[in-house]
Amino acid sequence: MTKAYMGKILMVDLSSGTMTEEAIPDSVYEQYLSGMGLGAYILYNRIPAGADPLGPENILGFCSGLLTGTGSLFSGRWTLVGKSPLTGGWGDANCGGTFSPAIKHCGYDAVFFKGISPKPVYLYVKNGKAVLKDAADLWGKDAVETEEKLKKQYGEKAGVAVIGPAGEKVSLISGVCTDKGRIAARSGLGAVMGVKKLKAVVLDGVQRINVQDPEEMKRLSLKCVKWTNFPMPLSLLPGVGLALMGTFMGATPVMFAQDGLLYKTILRTWGTGGMNQMSAEMGDSPLKNWVGSSKDFPLSKSKTINPDIIRKAEIVKYHCYSCPLGCGGICATKGKYSHTHKPEYESILALGGLCMNEDLDSLFYLNELLNRAGMDTISAGATAAFAIECYEKGILTNKDTDGLELKWGNTEAVVALIRKMVNRDGIGDILADGSKVAAAKIGRGAEACTVHAGGQEPAMHDGRGDPGFNVHYSVEPTPGRHTIGAHLYYEMFQLWKRVKGLPRPSLLFMKGSKYKVNKEKAQASAACSKFMSMGNGAGMCMFGLFIGAKRIPTFDWLNAATGWKFSPEEYMTIGERIQTIKQDFNVKHRIEPKNNFISRRAQGNPPQKEGANKGRVVDVEKLAADYWEQFGWDRATGKPKAETLKRLGIK
Amino acid sequence: MSYTISEKCNGCGACMRVCPADAITGEKKKAHAIDANLCIECGACGKVCPQSGILDGNGIACTMIKRSEWPKPEITVETCIACGICVDACPVGCLAMSERPRNKGVDAFPYLKDAKACIGCGFCRADCPMDVIAMLKPVKEKKASSEVA
Ligand code: SF4
Ligand code: SF4
C-alpha cells in the first residue's frame, strides 16, 4: 500500500480467542477516511441494535489516523471507539502520545475487540503474529506500572494501551491510558475494556507507512512548521498577564475575532494550563459546580494555579508523536509520585475551580492518581463537585460520606473522595459511575445538582460564555464533548478561507450577538462538526487545526498522502458522512437526540446573577433544530432523514 | 519492492538473525526465503550476507559491510522540532528522546541511545520532516550519550 493507510483491520473475538484479519476496500477509506471514520463505519454495521454496552456484543476499537505516520505533522492522534456505557449511545475518546503509529506499524488501521474473555488477557502483536496472553499478574496494577512492566518485557518501542484499576472495576467514567499518563478518557470506554477482561494492547510492529508523494508531504510539513514557529510576543508575558486579559475579556461588551496563532503561543509556552486563570476570569470555566462565577473564584483564589507556577515544575516539554508544538510537559512533583504529565487545563479546573479547591499540590497529586487509575479527570472532578453540592444542601450527610466533610474548597475531603471513587469504596462506589448514575442512586432531589449531557459530564468550557459549546455539548452524537466546535473554534479554524460557502465571522462584534439564533450560527456549528469528524478520521490534533485551515494543510496532506484529488468541500462531505453515521448509530440504539441536551443550569436557566456570564441564556432547543437542519436531519427529532442517508451512501 | 534471496544462499542464517521484521525463514544449511509481505526494505540482511546472496528491491546483489562501518544517524538538534518521528521510524528502537531539555531550550531531543543495535537503514533520515538527520560512516567509536548535545 502506498496510500497512507494499511488497508486492513484486526478483529479479535475475546470469547473464543479467535483473530481475523480483514481487508478493507479502498472505497471505505474514500468515504470515511480511517480513525474515527473507519471506527464508526465498522461499529455502525456490526453492533446489533440495542446491544448492552457492557455485554459481549459491544465492539471496542483502537483506530489510527489516516495521516498518522505519513510525514504530516499534528497527526498522531488515535481514537478509541465503542458503544458508550455512560451515555448508551455512540462513544469515542481521543488520545495522543505514541500509540497511533504503533497500530499502523502492525499493518492495521485499527484493531477491534468483541466478546468477553473468560479471564484477564492482553493482546500482543509482533511482525504479523497476534496472540492473546494471560494477564493475571498485571490485573490490579495501575496504568503506569502495567505499561512499565510490559515495556520492560517487550522493549520501549512497543505501543502499549492499558486500563487501570478504574477500568477493571468497570467505572463508567474510566478510560484507556498510554505513554504513562495520556488517556482516552471520555465516553467511559475504559469500562468496556474492563468488562471484556482485556488489560492491555501491546503493538510491536515495524511495518512502514507509505505515501503517494513523499516530497510533497515534506514540502507541506515545512510550510506548517513555519507557522508553528511563528514568533508571537505573547510568549514573553507573565502568566498573570493572561489572567488580566481574561478579566478584561470577561468585562468588555465588545470582542475581537481570535486568531489561532495567539492560542498556539499559549499552548507552546504554558500548555493548556495557560488558560487556567484567564478562563476563570472571562467566564469560560464553570465554577462551583456551574453555580458560581468569577466572583466566587477571583484572582486572589486562582493565583495558586497561575500557569507560571505550573511551568516551574516542568522538566521538559512533551510532544505527542509528530507534533511540532509540544503543549505537554513532564513535571516533577512532591510526595508519592516523583513525575507526572503536566496537569491539563481541564483537569485543573475540574478538580480545582469546579470544587473550589485552590491547592495546587493536591491537583498535581490527583492528576497522577487518576491517570494511574485510568479515570477521566473531567468526570471525576465534576462528580466530586456534584457530591459537594449535595452535601452542602443536606442531600448527602456525614453518614453517607463516611464522615467526609464535603464542603466547597475542602481539599482534604476532595482528595479522600476521589481516592474512594478510584477504589469503589463506600460513597466512592456510587460516584464511580459519574454524576447521573450517582444522582439516580442517591435520589432525594440529587438530580437537580447534576450537570451533564446525555449522562456525560461536559468539559470546563461554559456554554453561557460561548454558546457554541452548548450547541456541541447538546447535539453531538458524543454528547458533552468540548473538542469539536464553539464560536471561538470557528474563528480559529478559519475554514471560510479554504471551503466555499462558509460565513466569515465579523472581526469586531458585540458579545450579545453571540446569543442570537440565526442561520450563520448553524452553518458555523455544522462546519465545525464536519471538520472535526474529518480531522478525527485523519488523526489530526485539534490544537494544530486551531492554527487555521490555510496554514495547516490538512486537505493537501491528505491528497499528497493518498493520491486522491479531493477538494476541501469533498473532505467536508466526508466529515458530514462520519457525523451522520454516528448520529444514525444513536438512532439505531434508541437514543432520543433531544434527551442529550445539556442540563438547564448550564444553559443559563436560571441565569447567573453576577460574573462574566451574568444574565446569559442560551436557547439550545432552537439552536439544535437549526443545526440538525444543516445536516438534513429532522428539525424536530434530530434523526437523519432517509434521503440524507441515501445521499451520503449510508446503509 | 521486497528484498529477495538468490541461489547463492548457503543457509548460514545471518540474515535471519538481523532482520527486524522477522521476514526471513529457513532451516540451517538450507536456502532461506524472504516474506515479501513482511520485508520493510531496511537492507540489514544485505549487509550481513557473506555470500552476496541477498538482492535488493531492484534485484541488485548487496555486498557485505563490516558492522563497524555501517552508517549511523547524526542529528543536528538545533533545528529539530522534537516531533519524535525518527524515534518511531527506527525498526530496532535504537533512538530515544532525551529526558532533559536541549541546551538553552525546553524540548527534548533525539539521540542514538543504543548504537550497537542500529542497522543503518536510514529510515530516521528518510522520515525526518526537517531533514536534520544525516547518515554517516562512524569515524571512530563515538560516545553515544544524551549529554552530548
Ligand atoms: S531488507 Fe530488512 S526487513 Fe527485508 S528481509 Fe532484509 S533485513 Fe528483513
Ligand atoms: S524526526 Fe527530525 S525533527 Fe523530528 S525529532 Fe527526529 S530529528 Fe527532530
Side-chain angles (χ1 to χ4, degrees), chain A residues 69 71-73 98 101-102 105 126-129 156-157 206-209 218 221-222 225 229 268 314-326 339, chain B residues 19-22 37-40 81-85 87-94 98-102 106-108 113 123 125-131:
Chain A
S72 51
L73 301 173
T98 59
H105 287 317
K126 171 142 188 134
N127 294 341
K129 290 187 194 72
E156 284 290 324
K157 209 175 68 64
V206 296
Q207 287 299 305
R208 300 279 289 158
I209 302 156
K218 263 196 186 165
S221 295
L222 282 175
V225 170
N229 282 345
R268 171 73 190 147
E314 183 175 87
I315 303 166
V316 65
K317 293 274 179 211
Y318 180 87
H319 294 238
C320 294
Y321 170 77
S322 82
C323 174
L325 200 61
H339 287 71
Chain B
C19 175
D22 295 335
N37 286 322
L38 291 177
C39 172
I40 55 170
I81 53 170
C83 66
I85 288 178
V87 174
D88 177 77
C90 178
V92 293
C94 65
S98 63
E99 285 176 8
R100 298 258 148 204
R102 59 186 76 172
V106 288
D107 298 298
K113 189 178 182 187
F123 288 170
R125 181 200 54 197
D127 289 1
C128 170
M130 300 301 288
D131 284 332

Side-chain angles (χ1 to χ4, degrees), chain A residues 355-502:
Chain A
C355 299
M356 301 295 286
N357 170 24
E358 302 157 38
D359 184 281
L360 184 62
D361 285 341
S362 77
L363 297 172
F364 271 100
Y365 169 77
L366 288 173
N367 182 53
E368 184 65 12
L369 179 80
L370 288 163
N371 286 348
R372 284 175 178 260
M375 192 181 265
D376 179 1
T377 52
I378 299 176
S379 283
T383 307
F386 151 80
I388 297 172
E389 188 177 325
C390 286
Y391 183 91
E392 293 266 6
K393 286 186 170 157
I395 298 170
L396 289 174
T397 62
N398 277 350
K399 221 171 82 215
D400 305 301
T401 65
D402 303 325
L404 286 184
E405 296 220 357
L406 291 180
K407 294 214 152 109
W408 293 119
N410 182 350
T411 302
E412 263 172 52
V414 171
V415 170
L417 185 71
I418 302 264
R419 290 177 61 98
K420 278 177 174 293
M421 285 167 64
V422 164
N423 296 323
R424 276 201 182 274
D425 160 30
I427 179 92
D429 186 33
I430 294 168
L431 299 173
D433 294 324
S435 47
K436 186 185 169 197
V437 170
K441 285 187 184 159
I442 294 166
R444 308 191 284 271
E447 169 64 25
C449 307
T450 61
V451 175
H452 67 87
Q456 175 77 74
E457 292 77 11
M460 297 303 104
H461 299 284
D462 197 326
R464 292 166 297 193
D466 181 334
F469 282 118
N470 269 347
V471 174
H472 292 278
Y473 287 152
S474 303
V475 301
E476 288 298 330
T478 332
R481 190 59 53 92
H482 66 293
T483 49
I484 298 165
H487 193 97
L488 171 70
Y489 294 5
Y490 186 72
E491 290 172 354
M492 296 197 290
F493 287 149
Q494 301 191 338
L495 281 167
W496 64 89
K497 294 190 174 171
R498 289 297 310 267
V499 180
K500 288 190 201 95
L502 289 180

Side-chain angles (χ1 to χ4, degrees), chain A residues 5 7-8 24-34 109 564:
Chain A
Y5 50 86
K8 277 188 307 187
I24 301 293
D26 287 338
S27 60
V28 172
Y29 298 95
E30 285 157 18
Q31 291 180 77
Y32 293 96
L33 307 184
S34 183
D109 292 305
W564 301 334

